[in-house]
Amino acid sequence: MSETRNGATPHALAVENVTSGYGPVTVLREVSVTVAQGEIVAILGSNGAGKSTLMKTIAGLLRPSAGRVLAYGREVSRLAPEKITSAGVMMVPEGRQLFGELSVADNLLLGAYLHKREREQNRKQLEIVYDLFPILKERLRQAAGGMSGGQQQMVAIARGLMARPRVLLLDEPSLGLAPQVIEQVFAALARLRELGTTVLIVEQNALQALDLADRAYVLERGRVTIEGAAGQLKDDPRVRAAYLGPRGEPATP
Ligand SMILES: Nc1ncnc2c1ncn2[C@@H]1O[C@H](COP(=O)(O)OP(=O)(O)OP(=O)(O)O)[C@@H](O)[C@H]1O
Ligand SMILES: [Mg+2]
């Protein structure tokens, strides 16, 4: 269903019964996920569950063999990735993929390439980005590749934001970061919600993701096995057993 219950406003994002994978290898099987405008939705799941495959399918890097993806009621799953970006859906990929040799400023500018003539708007967006990640303003001339892991993650999110996306897809933004830096990144994401950006976030860091998100889905071996309000999932014994420790701390592998 791409429409919300009252039938009036389409979801920001609707993944409908999507089956997807890599050539002959099917990874996702009939996956359905919705994200309402302004919502933060988390995707949880262990290594290899298909989380990145879901993100890549939404972003158009993989084409579903069945089902479809809609952004604001319009089917995007047959579009090229850059058209999906133009439709307002922007992915910050796992592993960041910055241009390490380029300065922070140039990485941010590249994020704004869709709007390169809209200087005034880009300037305003830069102010929003600096407000979220003040460190970036101090490091504009530094090569992105020379920043710490946490700072690089901030550059990656900031670059995605420069495209002024309506829906931001974040694949494991906390991967490899120190706890304190993770806090900073999540605090910035909470502020983003206040600015009205819709977010679909993949996280292994289940507790933090559930604290941030409005709703969440658990993917296991390519299928959605649990979905619900984030608070509800935090109390779900299956989620606690698999992704949270007995007192709510991350389960040790
Ligand atoms: N390019 C590829 N070609 C073939 N199979 C792939 C490819 N990329 C991923 N897979 C397989 O698809 C499955 C799901 O991978 P995916 O990257 O979506 O998992 P994930 O949930 O993001 O895991 P992680 O938490 O480790 O990032 C895995 O079995 C993986 O081996
Ligand atoms: Mg992944």
Side-chain angles (χ1 to χ4, degrees):
M1 289 288 112
S2 62
E3 301 216 321
T4 49
R5 217 167 287 148
N6 64 19
T9 330
H11 284 111
L13 198 65
V15 175
E16 297 182 347
N17 298 313
V18 158
T19 296
S20 180
Y22 306 87
V25 184
T26 298
V27 174
L28 301 179
R29 294 172 197 274
E30 294 172 32
V31 168
S32 294
V33 167
T34 59
V35 187
Q37 169 63 35
E39 231 184 356
I40 298 186
V41 171
I43 306 286
L44 311 179
S46 42
N47 293 119
K51 305 180 300 297
S52 295
T53 303
L54 174 62
M55 294 304 229
K56 286 187 246 174
T57 304
I58 296 170
L61 303 176
L62 297 173
R63 186 150 295 193
S65 57
R68 54 184 198 155
V69 179
L70 296 98
Y72 295 92
R74 170 181 170 218
E75 183 173 355
V76 293
S77 35
R78 303 283 170 257
L79 300 180
E82 58 273 18
K83 298 272 186 225
I84 297 179
T85 308
S86 306
V89 180
M90 168 60 88
M91 176 162 71
V92 177
E94 192 179 4
R96 318 190 241 283
Q97 300 176 13
L98 296 175
F99 297 94
E101 311 271 292
L102 297 185
S103 68
V104 169
D106 286 342
N107 270 280
L108 296 183
L109 274 180
L110 280 170
Y113 73 95
L114 281 174
H115 314 287
K116 52 179 178 256
R117 290 195 190 82
E118 300 160 28
R119 295 186 137 198
E120 183 53 25
Q121 294 242 52
N122 287 339
R123 201 191 50 75
K124 281 193 188 141
Q125 189 68 6
L126 261 181
E127 289 305 319
I128 292 174
V129 160
Y130 293 154
D131 196 45
L132 285 171
F133 303 112
I135 185 79
L136 299 188
K137 195 171 184 176
E138 298 164 22
R139 302 294 179 88
L140 282 179
R141 300 288 147 226
Q142 187 172 334
M147 313 265 286
S148 73
Q151 291 163 347
Q152 289 194 29
Q153 185 60 62
M154 293 174 198
V155 177
I157 297 173
R159 184 181 59 180
L161 287 174
M162 286 310 294
R164 283 183 255 140
R166 298 172 82 188
V167 181
L168 191 64
L169 308 176
L170 296 171
D171 194 350
E172 305 224 24
S174 76
L175 193 72
L177 304 187
Q180 208 185 343
V181 184
I182 297 177
E183 294 282 349
Q184 286 174 26
V185 169
F186 273 81
L189 297 179
R191 304 249 334 269
L192 260 188
R193 173 189 6 226
E194 292 165 22
L195 299 173
T197 306
T198 304
V199 178
L200 182 64
I201 178 173
V202 162
E203 261 299 333
Q204 296 235 352
N205 212 318
L207 187 62
Q208 238 139 351
L210 291 175
D211 276 339
L212 172 75
D214 300 294
R215 289 187 306 112
Y217 295 78
V218 175
L219 260 186
E220 287 175 78
R221 284 186 241 145
R223 293 182 193 274
V224 172
T225 52
I226 309 172
E227 63 177 279
Q232 195 184 324
L233 258 70
K234 238 167 117 173
D235 291 334
D236 188 309
R238 293 168 297 170
V239 174
R240 296 186 74 84
Y243 305 104
L244 305 170
R247 278 174 241 94
E249 71 270 26
T252 40

